[in-house]
Amino acid sequence: MQARQRLPLAQHLYNGACAAARSPLAAAAAPPPALPGGSPLPRRLYGGAAMLRPLRRLSRPPRRAAATGPGRRLLLSTPIFYANGPPHIGHLYSALLADALHRHRRLRGAGPGRLSTGTDEHGLKIQQAAAAAGTSPPELCERVSSLFHQALTHAAVSFTDFTRTSEPRHQRAVRYFWGALRDGGALYKGSYEGWYCTPEECFLPESQLTEHRDAQGRPCKVSLETGHQVHWTKEENYMFRLSAFQDPLRKWLRDNPQAISPHPFYQRVLHWLEEDLPDLSVSRERSRLQWGIPVPSDSTQTIYVWVDALVNYLSVVGYPETHGEWWPAVHHVVGKDILKFHAVYWPALLMAAGLAPPERILVHSHWTVHGQKMSKSLGNVIDPFACIGQYTVDGFRYFLLRQGVPERDCDYYDEKVVKVVNSELADALGGLLNRSTALSINPSNTYPCFSESCFPKVLDYRETKGMGRASAEDYEFVASVASLPLQVANYFEGFQIYKALECIVLCVRQTNSFFQRHRPWKLNRKDPAEQLWLDTIIHVTLECLRVYGTLLQPVIPHTADRLLSRLAVEPEERGLSSLTFLARYNGKSCPFEGRQLGPDTGILFHRLEKSRQPQIETKKL
Ligand code: ME8
């Protein structure tokens, strides 16, 4: 009865896509139907609306809608990483994508933002890893969590929050969330059996398994996707009525085509939602899993590690008290391996707890090594500390963000890092700064003046003959730089940071061609006409460099800072909303004209050398 009385509240609180849909839990409140016997899917053998006594509620403040408009808040998140082994470059890639988006947003002067990350510390996987390492779970988590903290800090990931699921504030939020699920009628107790995959911390249906042999040559079953062994598990669990959310989830996605990007992943989720969506086991027997949060009012059960972990996105914004200031203005950056947890289970859990699904889920593919996904068991894990040591923070950040394509897997090898970074950062960008600021060419070390007579404003750049000294090609090139900031902003918005970088590099190369084409070193300073043209060439080049430096800040913050400092661009002049380009060409004044350049601090980016050692993981736990 209690569940039914609370249904309207649960539905009312979910203020989004499913508001008009039939109440998912009303339909589900009856005992769930048994699946056909012999079904290869994990089965519920019996079930019932065995609701528990309600938790004593913490006082719930009125929900506040997240702000909208230009000053709106946004929480960006990375997954919280398992504390069973040291970080690798796949983890770093997720964090860098989120960091670049966070930094880009800050530079745009968007409203308050947070970037959350952290470590996922409970579950069988951690319990077993600690036993294997001859230590206790808390000790292992302490060590591994601090490695993740260090790696992200070292890579200049500007996170504002680092959540550890072992923290009391998080555990309290999880208990409260559990209470909301239970009170909303979303849980029942049932006997459950199926193939459990500990490394993935989930049950897998028969269709996702294949036959294999274990280390002793005995036949066993493994996950088709990851190759990890699964074990038959049968126990009494709490079940979440996921099946009741199939229609609300479909509606949410149909109404929000931007909710999951890139689009192929959106389609993948829609496809999953066409298939059977069985209820989800959301607890484990405590006798098997001690390392986790006990189910409130039932100390024989431990809350499923994925429910525990997903709630980190709420606990970080102060659930259950202050989350309304942020929720649901949340963008989750996740790898494709955990898409189902974020795009199916999480929104359904949120709806069941009376909350809206996250605004966006930004999904990326995997880094592979020789075509195989990095994994500790394969011993092909690439160490971020070693990579940063070898290629520098900015060099490695640039490489991962430039070469990583969210839509498809990308193979890592050291030669590629050296090639990309040397050609694009050291040679193209660094070379351009070096050439255009060399004392031989710019002896006054100033941001020189632009001459309208040399580069007059034209309506059609194909008709420039006899007008000034700039060619049609020059007009075309400055037009592409002028459109770059908007292009870059659109690519960031579309979660295609690699494309933003591709466009920037293209413009850098065009600028080098512009410089080369006009051979400024051949111009005679003593001739006033030549001097005007020389200054204009340098002015245009420095304007381009200023735009590139500004746009590159979210990706290579240290190098961009050096570049902008060399061009004497003040900190308050580095924002994206006020970014101008070639104001003088448009008849406006340019605040940089005539300004003394900043000190020359040497080569902008030193060429990298190929490492003698591959950057395979060396950190020992
Ligand atoms: O799944 N390439 O943690 P996890 C790119 N604790 N990214 C990769 C990658 C690769 N080869 N390998 C891992 C968990 N990642 C859960 C998450 S969130 C509530 C709980 C990145 O340590 C990618 O983001 O296995 C992937 O989704 C995540 O690390 C998995 O990290």
Side-chain angles (χ1 to χ4, degrees):
M1 271 322 283
Q2 189 181 63
R4 288 206 172 85
Q5 277 160 8
R6 288 177 185 273
L7 286 175
L9 172 69
Q11 199 178 3
H12 169 72
L13 284 175
Y14 169 52
N15 60 358
C18 74
R22 75 189 169 84
S23 162
L25 294 180
L35 288 173
S39 158
L41 289 169
R43 284 164 301 162
R44 258 183 340 256
L45 296 184
Y46 64 85
M51 303 311 299
L52 300 170
R53 263 183 307 116
L55 255 191
R56 196 164 54 80
R57 290 237 157 183
L58 302 163
S59 62
R60 184 195 278 258
R63 279 165 45 86
R64 257 176 294 164
T68 52
R72 68 193 286 275
R73 292 160 182 261
L74 185 74
L75 170 68
L76 267 157
S77 69
T78 78
I80 50 168
F81 305 109
Y82 283 128
N84 67 329
H88 60 64
I89 64 163
H91 302 126
L92 180 60
Y93 178 57
S94 292
L96 289 180
L97 285 167
D99 180 53
L101 294 174
H102 179 60
R103 286 175 181 267
H104 189 262
R105 208 177 157 271
R106 247 186 356 211
L107 284 167
R108 273 188 359 240
R114 282 165 83 161
L115 171 56
S116 75
T117 188
T119 42
D120 186 354
E121 306 191 0
H122 292 136
L124 207 54
K125 185 175 168 123
I126 311 287
Q127 189 172 295
Q128 289 178 355
T135 184
S136 67
E139 248 179 57
L140 177 74
C141 290
E142 189 65 36
R143 238 182 298 158
V144 177
S145 183
S146 101
L147 279 180
F148 272 96
H149 196 284
Q150 271 174 44
L152 300 183
T153 308
H154 198 45
V157 174
S158 58
F159 57 86
T160 56
D161 298 87
F162 190 98
T163 300
R164 298 184 55 185
T165 54
S166 54
E167 288 165 53
R169 64 164 184 154
H170 169 76
Q171 301 196 14
R172 176 173 165 269
V174 173
R175 285 195 293 272
Y176 190 86
F177 190 80
W178 182 275
L181 294 179
R182 181 202 50 201
D183 294 354
L187 303 178
Y188 63 93
K189 211 165 180 186
S191 174
Y192 193 88
E193 60 182 303
W195 292 105
Y196 197 76
C197 179
T198 304
E200 294 175 51
E201 290 283 20
C202 64
F203 282 97
L204 292 175
E206 199 86 39
S207 60
Q208 285 176 29
L209 302 176
T210 183
E211 301 292 334
H212 206 67
R213 294 210 168 259
D214 68 13
Q216 282 75 43
R218 289 174 305 215
C220 69
K221 282 184 187 286
V222 297
S223 159
L224 256 180
E225 200 179 323
T226 62
H228 291 126
Q229 192 174 345
V230 295
H231 296 97
W232 188 255
T233 309
K234 180 176 178 184
E235 56 186 48
E236 177 120 317
N237 290 165
Y238 285 94
M239 302 293 296
F240 170 61
R241 294 181 196 283
L242 180 61
S243 52
F245 288 89
Q246 194 151 7
D247 285 340
L249 286 168
R250 283 194 199 134
K251 179 162 171 36
W252 163 59
L253 286 181
R254 274 199 307 269
D255 292 350
N256 296 279
Q258 298 301 319
I260 301 170
S261 300
H263 199 65
F265 293 114
Y266 171 81
Q267 285 171 319
R268 190 180 295 183
V269 177
L270 274 183
H271 178 74
W272 286 335
L273 292 174
E274 295 305 315
E275 295 172 347
D276 190 28
L277 194 64
D279 289 350
L280 183 70
S281 163
V282 285
S283 70
R284 304 298 313 274
E285 277 175 10
R286 194 124 191 111
S287 56
R288 294 182 199 247
L289 175 63
Q290 298 85 48
W291 182 236
I293 304 172
V295 165
S297 322
D298 185 350
S299 55
T300 67
Q301 295 275 323
T302 302
I303 295 177
Y304 178 37
V305 62
W306 266 103
V307 173
D308 174 349
L310 287 163
V311 172
N312 94 86
Y313 302 130
L314 281 172
S315 62
V316 72
V317 286
Y319 180 81
E321 281 90 14
T322 55
H323 60 284
E325 290 169 17
W326 296 85
W327 205 268
V330 184
H331 294 183
H332 298 310
V333 174
V334 297
K336 65 179 182 181
D337 51 326
I338 54 174
L339 178 58
K340 193 175 267 178
F341 297 94
H342 284 80
V344 177
Y345 302 164
W346 181 224
L349 287 163
L350 285 164
M351 289 181 202
L355 293 163
E359 214 171 70
R360 289 187 78 186
I361 301 167
L362 305 169
V363 191
H364 64 78
S365 301
H366 290 144
W367 283 92
T368 57
V369 176
H370 304 307
Q372 283 182 303
K373 186 177 180 236
M374 267 180 283
S375 105
K376 271 159 255 159
S377 46
L378 288 172
N380 63 351
V381 169
I382 307 289
D383 178 3
F385 289 98
C387 289
I388 289 174
Q390 181 73 24
Y391 305 124
T392 74
V393 171
D394 279 9
F396 201 60
R397 284 177 66 103
Y398 184 80
F399 170 76
L400 287 182
L401 293 173
R402 168 83 169 96
Q403 289 290 303
V405 176
E407 287 91 329
R408 54 177 186 267
D409 289 354
C410 192
D411 211 37
Y412 175 88
Y413 50 96
D414 293 314
E415 293 81 352
K416 191 148 73 175
V417 188
V418 176
K419 197 164 158 233
V420 168
V421 173
N422 279 351
S423 120
E424 299 183 359
L425 285 188
D427 299 346
L429 186 69
L432 184 63
L433 178 70
N434 192 33
R435 299 164 91 190
S436 55
T437 53
L439 275 185
S440 54
I441 219 154
N442 186 5
S444 61
N445 199 37
T446 54
Y447 213 102
C449 293
F450 177 86
S451 155
E452 290 110 322
S453 63
C454 295
F455 212 131
K457 190 165 173 78
V458 292
L459 291 177
D460 184 347
Y461 59 76
R462 282 160 299 191
E463 290 168 17
T464 55
K465 276 218 161 56
M467 289 188 61
R469 300 201 54 168
S471 65
E473 229 176 336
D474 298 337
Y475 282 95
E476 221 169 323
F477 139 67
V478 294
S480 53
V481 181
S483 64
L484 187 64
L486 185 61
Q487 245 180 326
V488 166
N490 288 339
Y491 282 133
F492 267 78
E493 178 61 27
F495 196 50
Q496 293 177 304
I497 298 173
Y498 72 103
K499 280 202 179 166
L501 293 174
E502 194 177 298
C503 289
I504 297 174
V505 172
L506 208 69
C507 283
V508 173
R509 295 204 190 287
Q510 281 183 284
T511 319
N512 271 305
S513 304
F514 163 78
F515 200 81
Q516 187 71 22
R517 190 159 58 236
H518 296 299
R519 301 169 169 268
W521 55 92
K522 295 264 186 212
L523 296 173
N524 177 6
R525 277 201 174 274
K526 303 224 170 73
D527 175 343
E530 299 262 286
Q531 164 88 55
L532 279 183
W533 180 222
L534 171 57
D535 283 352
T536 303
I537 295 169
I538 299 175
H539 179 99
V540 171
T541 307
L542 297 190
E543 279 288 275
C544 290
L545 278 166
R546 187 171 59 77
V547 169
Y548 308 147
T550 308
L551 295 176
L552 284 168
Q553 290 174 98
V555 175
I556 45 170
H558 307 105
T559 309
D561 175 46
R562 286 191 63 205
L563 171 56
L564 294 172
S565 300
R566 176 74 174 112
L567 300 180
V569 183
E570 298 294 339
E572 62 278 10
E573 295 170 326
R574 297 179 182 190
L576 289 168
S577 52
S578 55
L579 180 59
T580 57
F581 172 62
L582 229 46
R584 295 277 282 102
Y585 174 74
N586 291 309
K588 304 202 177 102
S589 68
C590 168
F592 301 97
E593 211 173 50
R595 201 183 275 190
Q596 191 68 29
L597 292 184
D600 180 1
T601 51
I603 289 178
L604 181 69
F605 199 95
H606 287 274
R607 285 180 67 79
L608 300 176
E609 304 223 341
K610 189 189 153 349
S611 71
R612 267 162 266 129
Q613 299 265 311
Q615 312 302 325
I616 300 287
E617 189 75 69
T618 50
K619 283 265 165 311
K620 289 274 167 290
L621 289 179

